[in-house]
Amino acid sequence: MTRPLKLALRTLAILLLLAITLAIAFYTNPLFFADLQIRNHLRQQHVQSHYVQVDGYNLHYFEAQPAHSPGTPLILIHGLGARGEDWSPLIPTLAAQGFHVYAPDLLGYGRSPRPDVDYSISLQEQTIVDFLQTLHIPPADVAGWSMGGWVALKLTIDHPQLVTRLIAMDSAGIYFPPTFTASLFTPTDAPGLTHLIAMLTPRPMHLPPFVQRAAIRKLQANSWVIHRSVASMIEGHDLLDFQLSKIKVPTLIIWGQQDALIPLAVGQQMHQQIPNSSLLAVEGCGHLAPAECYHPILKATVQFLRTTPPPTPYTETVPAN
């Protein structure tokens, strides 16, 4: 056997071993590779990943800003069991539209620490207040999704001087009869995961068994934080019933019309209680509307935040695309 042939065979063997290793790694931890893809996409779009000391914790956040201007500060607050990456469909485009975007991982979520605390809405609100003050962010537009919407609503009520305009997307925050328990968010088997996905989206994607197992492991790894968050919500200390009328800043409420987790009726109640608010419902979308139906939501968000003076309050239903 010639030397070049030996070298070629050795190279082929190494490549084959590498391919097998990668295949095994993908099979055992597919979500790791999905995260790599999301983070690589954000890096390519000039979205930066940072850490900052807030209340003694090393809080993680994403930051993106326009290329040629400081940009209007915009804070994006994620929901229960989520993280800053969940805003990835919107962050780069919002930055390109002239916004200086900050998307923090709330305490206990994403790449932020998981201390032994109660994970109440009040705690997360204070974390956001101190995050803004630590980074010397001026009064900002604030958007919150699901539990993050609750945090954003409470922030606006308690600290109106920090918020210029408010967007609440499929938001919790006022009482409604739940059709689920805390265990919904931390499934232990495939049927439980299927039920969770069905509550989040009206168009669930089929997941191969190995992806299901990885998703269950990931949810279980953070289950104690989620359970504490839900327990705090159920106690009701931070509910905003009868307080939403205190919100005086321009407000846009966005909802997936088919949201099975927090029904559109909740958004309609918020719209009735918040003075001069607008309500946008997106057809064919569920609780994951900001990710699954981001085109109409991005359009409505930019129009709402950019219109001066603020747009006249409206109620509208739009298609998903």
Side-chain angles (χ1 to χ4, degrees), residues 15-34:
L15 291 175
L16 181 60
L17 179 61
L18 179 61
I20 292 172
T21 302
L22 286 174
I24 293 172
F26 178 76
Y27 182 79
T28 56
N29 195 1
L31 299 186
F32 170 79
F33 290 89

Side-chain angles (χ1 to χ4, degrees), residues 5 79 121 263:
L5 181 58
I121 298 298

Side-chain angles (χ1 to χ4, degrees), residues 193-232:
L193 180 63
T194 300
H195 179 49
L196 171 60
I197 294 172
M199 292 291 287
L200 295 175
T201 173
R203 37 187 177 183
M205 180 187 304
H206 172 71
L207 299 177
F210 75 97
V211 177
Q212 292 182 8
R213 291 192 293 270
I216 292 169
R217 285 197 305 270
K218 187 170 185 178
L219 290 167
Q220 282 294 311
N222 208 35
S223 62
W224 71 275
V225 172
I226 293 173
H227 286 162
R228 285 196 186 181
S229 298
V230 174
S232 176

Side-chain angles (χ1 to χ4, degrees), residues 49-99:
S49 173
H50 298 301
Y51 288 87
V52 62
Q53 283 288 317
V54 176
D55 302 328
Y57 302 115
N58 206 23
L59 207 72
H60 175 261
Y61 68 100
F62 290 106
E63 181 181 11
Q65 61 186 107
H68 304 294
S69 69
T72 303
L74 172 59
I75 315 301
L76 304 178
I77 308 175
H78 67 75
L80 179 73
R83 57 198 179 147
E85 281 93 340
D86 289 12
W87 294 103
S88 61
L90 296 174
I91 294 174
T93 310
L94 287 169
Q97 291 288 331
F99 296 97

Side-chain angles (χ1 to χ4, degrees), residues 153-237:
L153 289 163
K154 195 171 189 316
L155 172 71
T156 307
I157 292 170
D158 294 341
H159 303 276
Q161 76 281 3
L162 299 180
V163 182
T164 52
R165 299 193 189 192
L166 170 66
I167 301 178
M169 303 181 180
D170 292 271
S171 176
I174 61 175
Y175 176 78
F176 66 97
T179 58
F180 53 86
T181 63
S183 62
L184 171 73
F185 304 101
T186 56
T188 58
D189 54 24
L193 180 63
T194 300
H195 179 49
L196 171 60
I197 294 172
M199 292 291 287
L200 295 175
T201 173
R203 37 187 177 183
M205 180 187 304
H206 172 71
L207 299 177
F210 75 97
V211 177
Q212 292 182 8
R213 291 192 293 270
I216 292 169
R217 285 197 305 270
K218 187 170 185 178
L219 290 167
Q220 282 294 311
N222 208 35
S223 62
W224 71 275
V225 172
I226 293 173
H227 286 162
R228 285 196 186 181
S229 298
V230 174
S232 176
M233 294 181 207
I234 292 173
E235 287 176 358
H237 297 308

Side-chain angles (χ1 to χ4, degrees), residues 219-295:
L219 290 167
Q220 282 294 311
N222 208 35
S223 62
W224 71 275
V225 172
I226 293 173
H227 286 162
R228 285 196 186 181
S229 298
V230 174
S232 176
M233 294 181 207
I234 292 173
E235 287 176 358
H237 297 308
D238 292 321
L239 283 173
L240 303 176
D241 298 81
F242 312 112
Q243 296 188 58
L244 294 180
S245 61
K246 297 177 183 178
I247 295 176
K248 305 304 181 185
V249 301
T251 301
L252 174 61
I253 300 165
I254 298 176
W255 227 269
Q257 193 175 51
Q258 277 68 51
D259 191 336
L261 189 70
I262 307 178
L264 177 59
V266 175
Q268 292 168 336
Q269 290 181 44
M270 290 182 175
H271 176 44
Q272 292 171 2
Q273 295 178 35
I274 299 176
N276 300 316
S277 64
S278 297
L279 173 63
L280 179 75
V282 187
E283 294 176 342
C285 299
H287 196 69
L288 303 182
E292 293 184 328
C293 308
Y294 62 88
H295 289 298

